[in-house]
């Protein structure tokens, strides 16, 4: 069963514009939500997280929004830069395991 | 502080063989998780170990197994390899997976190709 869904396999955005990556989940028992970024030939690295008791968390150009009633999570990157081109995974923590979505490949065009 | 180290980086095997992958976590981290990444499937959870005990297991067949040693280093083994086992295998460590909001630190992975 897919508890975490990232329905857009890829997204292309112009440099300087906003990138919005989306994630839907099915289990309302998740406590924490995280975003990871992955470059080719490297392991994923942590980007930003949000607790289930919040609806927004900001870190520089990155903001994560949580809509618990819709079971929806989104990551906003403003402004987008070419170096942001990577695969982005949303991840949810339940118990001793972190469950990842399939990822969205972001292309930021210069 | 050294990061998570996975060896080998690349591996080519044939069907029916077995393989062992190794992971050295960040010093002081006691939890090690393993993931399989294939195109379009994201990161599929294999298992998680803490203090030499497997605390959680994903939906993989029994051909996939793992263990953790007293120094927190971990190995995973895949027996009777199948073509579909070709993937990037990622290891991640943390102080104690499951603590609220605790992030994982990943190695660069082992790319396994089964011919």
């Amino acid at each position: 069963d897919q508890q975490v869904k990232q329905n857009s396999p890829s997204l292309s955005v112009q440099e300087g514009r906003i990138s919005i990556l989306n994630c839907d989940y099915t289990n309302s028992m998740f406590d924490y939500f995280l975003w990871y970024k992955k470059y080719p030939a490297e392991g994923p690295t942590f980007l930003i997280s949000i607790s289930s008791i919040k609806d927004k968390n900001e870190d520089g150009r990155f903001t994560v929004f949580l809509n618990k009633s819709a079971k929806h999570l989104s990551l906003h990157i403003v402004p987008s830069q070419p170096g942001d081109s990577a695969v982005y995974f949303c991840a949810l923590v339940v118990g001793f395991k972190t469950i990842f979505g399939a990822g969205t490949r972001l292309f930021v065009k210069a | 502080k050294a990061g998570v180290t996975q060896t080998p980086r690349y591996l080519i095997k044939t069907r029916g063989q077995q393989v062992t992958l190794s992971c050295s976590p960040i010093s002081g981290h006691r939890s090690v998780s393993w993931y399989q990444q294939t195109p379009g499937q994201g990161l599929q959870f294999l298992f998680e170990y803490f203090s030499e005990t497997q605390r959680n297991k994903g939906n993989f067949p029994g051909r996939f197994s793992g263990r953790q040693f007293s120094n927190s280093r971990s190995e995973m083994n895949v027996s009777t390899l199948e073509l579909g086992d070709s993937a990037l295998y990622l290891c991640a460590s943390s102080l104690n997976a499951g603590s609220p909001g605790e992030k994982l630190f990943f190695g660069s992975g082992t790319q396994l190709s089964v011919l």
Side-chain angles (χ1 to χ4, degrees):
Chain A
D1 64 339
Q2 273 196 305
Q3 299 189 60
V4 183
K5 288 185 183 177
Q6 291 180 257
N7 291 319
S8 299
S10 66
L11 174 68
S12 185
V13 169
Q14 198 68 38
E15 180 181 8
R17 306 295 292 269
I18 184 171
S19 295
I20 300 177
L21 297 97
N22 295 302
C23 179
D24 296 300
Y25 60 96
T26 56
N27 188 336
S28 57
M29 298 299 291
F30 289 122
D31 299 320
Y32 247 89
F33 307 83
L34 303 92
W35 285 92
Y36 287 80
K37 179 167 75 171
K38 185 180 185 299
Y39 293 116
E42 296 180 12
T45 55
F46 170 77
L47 190 57
I48 191 169
S49 65
I50 187 167
S51 158
S52 60
I53 63 172
K54 293 187 174 182
D55 53 20
K56 178 182 173 182
N57 188 27
E58 231 174 311
D59 184 2
R61 297 185 297 113
F62 303 91
T63 304
V64 57
F65 295 92
L66 176 62
N67 182 334
K68 288 186 288 294
S69 60
K71 296 194 179 104
H72 180 80
L73 187 70
S74 64
L75 174 69
H76 292 207
I77 306 173
V78 182
S80 302
Q81 300 173 352
D84 295 330
S85 297
V87 178
Y88 290 79
F89 294 97
C90 70
L92 287 66
V93 180
V94 57
F96 300 123
K97 65 180 180 181
T98 301
I99 301 171
F100 288 82
T104 296
R105 184 176 298 277
L106 174 65
F107 299 94
V108 180
K109 298 175 287 186
Chain B
K1 212 179 206 184
V4 178
T5 304
Q6 289 188 248
T7 56
R9 281 288 276 129
Y10 303 94
L11 209 45
I12 299 175
K13 292 285 187 178
T14 55
R15 279 183 299 174
Q17 287 187 310
Q18 76 161 21
V19 67
T20 299
L21 312 181
S22 180
C23 173
S24 292
I26 291 172
S27 177
H29 284 191
R30 297 170 66 189
S31 169
V32 173
S33 302
W34 288 89
Y35 290 85
Q36 180 196 65
Q37 185 188 10
T38 52
Q41 292 297 314
L43 278 68
Q44 302 292 311
F45 175 78
L46 281 154
F47 24 66
E48 186 264 348
Y49 288 88
F50 180 84
S51 291
E52 302 178 68
T53 300
Q54 185 183 90
R55 293 193 298 188
N56 216 326
K57 190 176 190 304
N59 296 324
F60 278 81
R63 300 185 297 105
F64 292 81
S65 63
R67 59 179 176 167
Q68 186 182 35
F69 302 95
S70 58
N71 61 358
S72 293
R73 192 177 70 85
S74 177
E75 287 181 349
M76 68 162 280
N77 184 277
V78 188
S79 62
T80 320
L81 284 166
E82 300 177 359
L83 295 178
D85 296 334
S86 295
L88 179 66
Y89 290 87
L90 291 160
C91 165
S93 76
S94 64
L95 281 168
N96 178 16
S99 297
E102 188 174 16
K103 59 191 180 189
L104 301 177
F105 293 83
F106 283 86
S108 297
T110 294
Q111 183 67 53
L112 172 65
S113 297
V114 182
L115 306 178

